[in-house]
Every structure is written in structure tokens, then in C-alpha cells.
Amino acid sequence: MEPTSTASINPLKTARWFLAALLAVNLYRAMTQSVTPGEAWNFDRFIGPSCNEALARFDVNNHVLNTLLIRISTAGFHLTELSLRLPSLLAGVLYLWVVFRLARRCFGDGLVFLAVIGLLTLNPVVVDALSEARGYGMALAAWMWALELMLESVQSFSPQKLNLAAISLGLSVAASLAFTAPAIALLSVYLVWSGKEGGADPLVCARPLGRALALISFLAAFLFLAIPLNHADWKTLAIGATSLRQTINELNALSLGTSSAFIAAAARVALALLSFAGASAAVRYWRRQDGALLALTGATLALTLVLLIAAHRWLQTPFPQGGALYLIPLTTLPVTAVILKQNNKTAQIAFLCVSTVLLARYISVFPFGMYAAGRQLSGARTLAKTLRVKAGNTSVRIGASLAVEPIINYYRTRYRQGNWQPVDREPLTGAYDYYVLTPADAPLIEQRHLHVMYRDAGLTLAAPAPPAPAIQP
């Protein structure tokens, strides 16, 4: 929809400046924040080692496509937090771009357009994913591009765009296995919704491509996942939330910055109602071009939840833990589409009011600093620099709490401290030159009479106290 007046240009300019500012914040965080435990674990197990060593084992923390791109990034540039997070940062750019395109295509260029952009980008879970060196943001960006390409193909049928959409869905799964359910759901809904074979209508031209699109998506994921999953142990794949309730509670707490039982219960009820309402709205607008967004997202939300529950019941797979951020667009987009379909000013004003309250909450808990996954260990980089100064060039043994072990090994490589002996995952029963402790192991400081060199809310650097000088006779 092209702007027709000067007034209609303002929301577009506002959106562009807002997205540019958000990108700048993402870049700043990627450059300055300490490595998180998940990032460090992935680097220590799957990026730092040789390819043969990295492929010899697999766990769900290894977001394969993201891991591969990080290996390329850190090999081409000196290892820094920025080079570690560069693939996620670039995926974040693609996500911001597709959100702008999709919101303008489906909601015009007014206040609703701005509200949707804010709701899809200011959620703290999404903000973290757009630069943290994990695969969630990359998977979300690829999934959103698949949706956008499908919507474009509805308006003007294009096998090329559908092929790209299928590839995007495969890449989404390769970036994070947590996106398997929404990827399968979106492709299935689109193929069923696209109609019967034959005819010139864009809605009925996709069916002949159905098998090809499914095959393309499978091959795109298989290309990256085949070898790693061949070395996977089912026990390592069965790690995650034990219930859908836990998944929703976690997403709600990270999004709103509160663990209120009332708000968590309200969020679960709202999601259940939205899934039923989305499926009903999809039926009502089935195969109507003007209802493509509502039909696709509404039915995909319902089918995704069904797939998650069915897989948990019959395959004993866990629910996603940390990777369910696809629920944010799958709830925001159909709700907005329904409101606009009503063509009721009162409903639209109510939507804008609720959106304003939600955006205000997002802004109040906006993560300018450390990523949520590593907030308790935000001082790791400062601690590592302190340790580098204290240890100098002396060969030292470092004992670390289990949660900190991959972080210290990361900074050992990051700062090229070959004199630091690699930290092993073992109890702190031996004697060490330095100790890096979390609050759980803090009692060791008094038990072993350690001298504290650095301490913050989550980490402590300590060393054995130097022996008292001998008393001269």
C-alpha cells in the first residue's frame, strides 16, 4: 500500500528510524556483553574443536546452521563476542526487514502498522534472539520469511517464491529443532489451503508443487542435520520443558519480566482461546485471498500446538524450552488481522490501547544490558580480564563451578591465554591456583581461606591466600 499523503509517510519514517535504532542496540550488545553459558557451551563443544571432534557428538544446544556460520565467522575474523554473534546479528537484520515488509503489506502504514512492528520486535525474548549467538533468532527470521513469501505468492503466484519459502522453512529447522512443529504446520496449512489442482487463480496453483515444496524443505534441513543427528543420543534430544504449561510460563516470564501466577494463568488461557479462535477464523476465511494472513497464521497456531502435544504424548519428545518464540508472531498476527477484519473503530481503538500497554511493559523491561540467559554471570568478561592480569604468563590451574566452566574455556581462547590450563567438568576437590565460583560454591572461600580478587552478584574470583612471611628471630 503506497502512501497517499504527507501524514501517511510519518509512520513509515518512524518505523524505519525505530528499526535502525533497534539494530544499533543489537550491535552494541553483541559487541559489549559477556558470553552467556549457552554461547560458551556451544563454542567449547562445537565451534572451537576440529570438525571431526565437533561432529562426533550432538546435543540440542547445538543449533547446527548457526554453529556452522559461527565457525565461518570466527575463522574469518579474530574471535570476539562480535564475531561469535555476527551470524545471529545478520539474521536479526533479516528479521527486522521481513517484519517491516509483512506489517506494511498486511496492515497498511498507519498506527496498526506501527503497533504490529513494535509487538513483533520489542518483546525482550525476541530482542535477545536477534543478536545472541544461538539459533533461535535465525530460525525465527527464516520462518517469517517463509510466511512472507507465501503471502506474496498468494497475491501473485510464483513457484520461485514458494521454492524459497520451502528452503526457508528447512533452514529454520536447521537453525533450531524447536521450529520443527511450526515449520511443518505452516507448510501443511498452506498446501491444504491453496486449493485443488488446476485453474489460473493463485490460490489453486500451488497444489501441483506440494510434494516438491515438502521435499525441498526436507532436503534443506537434511543437508545440515543429517550428520549431526546421526551422532545424537536420544537422551540428549529429550531435553526441554516437561509440559506446554512450563513452556508458556517461561515465555511469559521472559517477555513481561514477571513470574506472577495470575498473569501466567491468563497467558495460558489466552493462548488456548486464540488457538480455537484462530482455527475458526481460518475456516471462515479459507481460500480467500483477503484472508490469507488470518487463515495461515490462525490454522498454523492451532496445528503447531496439536503437533507439540501429539509428539510429546506418542514420541515422548519434550516441549520447547527457550525456542517457543514463534508463538509471538503466531498470536500477534492473527489477532491483528481479526481486529482489522471487523472494520470496527471501537475494536481497533481497543487493540491500540492494549498494544500500547503491552509495548510500555516491553520498554520498561527492555534488555539494554546482559542477555537473559546469562544475566547472573554478566561479569564474566570483567572477571576474565582480571584473571588475565593476575595470572600474567604463569601457567595456572583454574577450578570453576560447573556453570562457569565453558565460559572460562571460551575466554581462555578469546584472550589467547595458553598458560591457563583447560578447565575440566569435575568437582572442586583439588587444589587450584585460582577459583571461579558461583554463589552455590561460595562457601569454599571460607573453607579454604581464599583471597577474593573480584566479586559481583553472580561470580567470584579467588585464590589461595599467600603464606604469611616467616618471623625473623
Side-chain angles (χ1 to χ4, degrees):
M1 181 182 296
E2 294 297 328
T4 57
S5 66
T6 302
S8 66
I9 296 177
N10 292 333
L12 292 177
K13 288 185 176 180
T14 301
R16 292 188 181 107
W17 279 109
F18 162 72
L19 294 177
L22 184 56
L23 177 59
V25 172
N26 291 341
L27 177 61
Y28 168 79
R29 296 180 75 207
M31 295 174 62
T32 60
Q33 299 308 306
S34 296
V35 69
T36 66
E39 292 174 322
W41 175 278
N42 199 44
F43 177 84
D44 194 41
R45 268 63 176 179
F46 303 108
I47 299 171
S50 66
C51 288
N52 289 336
E53 291 177 314
L55 292 174
R57 57 185 182 273
F58 178 83
D59 63 56
V60 291
N61 195 63
N62 180 12
H63 298 166
V64 178
L65 178 58
N66 182 63
T67 296
L68 175 62
L69 294 177
I70 292 177
R71 290 185 72 99
I72 296 173
S73 174
T74 54
F77 303 96
H78 174 63
L79 175 62
T80 63
E81 283 73 18
L82 179 58
S83 66
L84 185 75
R85 294 167 176 153
L86 185 59
S88 292
L89 193 63
L90 295 177
V93 174
L94 293 177
Y95 177 76
L96 297 179
W97 181 19
V98 73
V99 165
F100 182 90
R101 283 170 55 108
L102 190 150
R104 191 180 182 195
R105 172 189 302 280
C106 299
F107 307 117
D109 51 12
L111 293 179
V112 174
F113 159 77
L114 283 178
V116 169
I117 286 183
L119 292 173
L120 292 179
T121 58
L122 276 177
N123 187 303
V125 178
V126 174
V127 175
D128 274 3
L130 298 186
S131 59
E132 187 180 2
R134 309 292 285 117
Y136 300 129
M138 191 175 296
L140 181 62
W143 189 92
M144 286 288 286
W145 270 105
L147 175 62
E148 166 67 359
L149 290 167
M150 288 177 179
L151 292 173
E152 288 185 9
S153 187
V154 167
Q155 294 182 356
S156 178
F157 181 72
S158 170
Q160 292 77 15
K161 290 180 180 178
L162 288 178
N163 289 338
L164 288 175
I167 292 173
S168 295
L169 289 178
L171 295 180
S172 177
V173 176
S176 173
L177 290 175
F179 275 71
T180 303
I184 293 174
L186 179 58
L187 182 59
S188 301
V189 168
Y190 179 79
L191 293 178
V192 174
W193 177 80
S194 59
K196 297 179 181 180
E197 183 174 348
D201 192 313
L203 293 181
V204 299
C205 292
R207 180 59 65 85
L209 294 174
R211 293 181 180 177
L213 294 179
L215 180 61
I216 290 172
S217 294
F218 173 78
L219 291 177
F222 182 82
L223 178 65
F224 295 99
L225 297 176
I227 297 177
L229 288 180
N230 188 50
H231 294 86
D233 184 345
W234 181 254
K235 293 181 180 179
T236 65
L237 295 179
I239 298 175
T242 57
S243 66
L244 187 57
R245 173 176 178 164
Q246 181 183 345
T247 295
I248 298 170
N249 287 351
E250 179 188 63
L251 182 62
N252 178 74
L254 292 175
S255 298
L256 300 178
T258 177
S259 299
S260 167
F262 174 79
I263 294 178
R268 295 195 300 270
V269 172
L271 182 62
L273 293 176
L274 281 176
S275 63
F276 285 112
S280 301
V283 171
R284 180 178 178 182
Y285 291 95
W286 201 251
R287 298 192 65 245
R288 287 176 50 178
Q289 290 192 40
D290 63 343
L293 176 65
L294 177 54
L296 288 180
T297 54
T300 297
L301 172 60
L303 182 56
T304 296
L305 296 180
V306 169
L307 290 175
L308 289 175
I309 295 171
H312 179 72
R313 179 174 180 179
W314 286 296
L315 299 179
Q316 286 74 52
T317 60
F319 289 95
Q321 188 170 24
L325 65 170
Y326 50 77
L327 291 176
I328 296 168
L330 278 178
T331 52
T332 302
L333 294 175
V335 168
T336 310
V338 166
I339 295 297
L340 291 185
K341 286 293 179 186
Q342 301 304 313
N343 200 23
N344 185 308
K345 288 186 177 180
T346 302
Q348 294 183 19
I349 291 174
F351 168 78
L352 291 174
C353 291
V354 173
S355 298
T356 300
V357 172
L358 192 55
L359 289 173
R361 181 59 183 176
Y362 287 167
I363 292 172
S364 70
V365 294
F366 187 88
F368 286 102
M370 187 59 182
Y371 300 95
R375 198 163 290 156
Q376 298 301 317
L377 306 177
S378 60
R381 184 157 75 164
T382 302
L383 183 148
K385 290 180 178 180
T386 303
L387 177 57
R388 180 175 59 172
V389 172
K390 296 294 184 180
N393 295 324
T394 306
S395 178
V396 295
R397 293 186 69 233
I398 303 170
S401 299
L402 293 179
V404 192
E405 169 258 327
I407 295 178
I408 298 302
N409 281 329
Y410 165 81
Y411 281 112
R412 175 180 178 273
T413 305
R414 162 75 170 88
Y415 293 129
R416 301 181 180 180
Q417 297 300 296
N419 56 307
W420 298 3
Q421 299 300 312
V423 181
D424 297 322
R425 291 186 65 81
E426 57 185 23
L428 294 173
T429 55
Y432 299 95
D433 299 301
Y434 294 93
Y435 294 80
V436 180
L437 307 173
T438 61
D441 291 315
L444 284 175
I445 297 174
E446 293 186 2
Q447 294 173 10
R448 302 190 182 185
H449 307 291
L450 303 178
H451 170 63
V452 175
M453 301 175 173
Y454 171 88
R455 172 177 280 168
D456 59 29
L459 291 173
T460 299
L461 173 64
I471 300 176
Q472 296 295 329

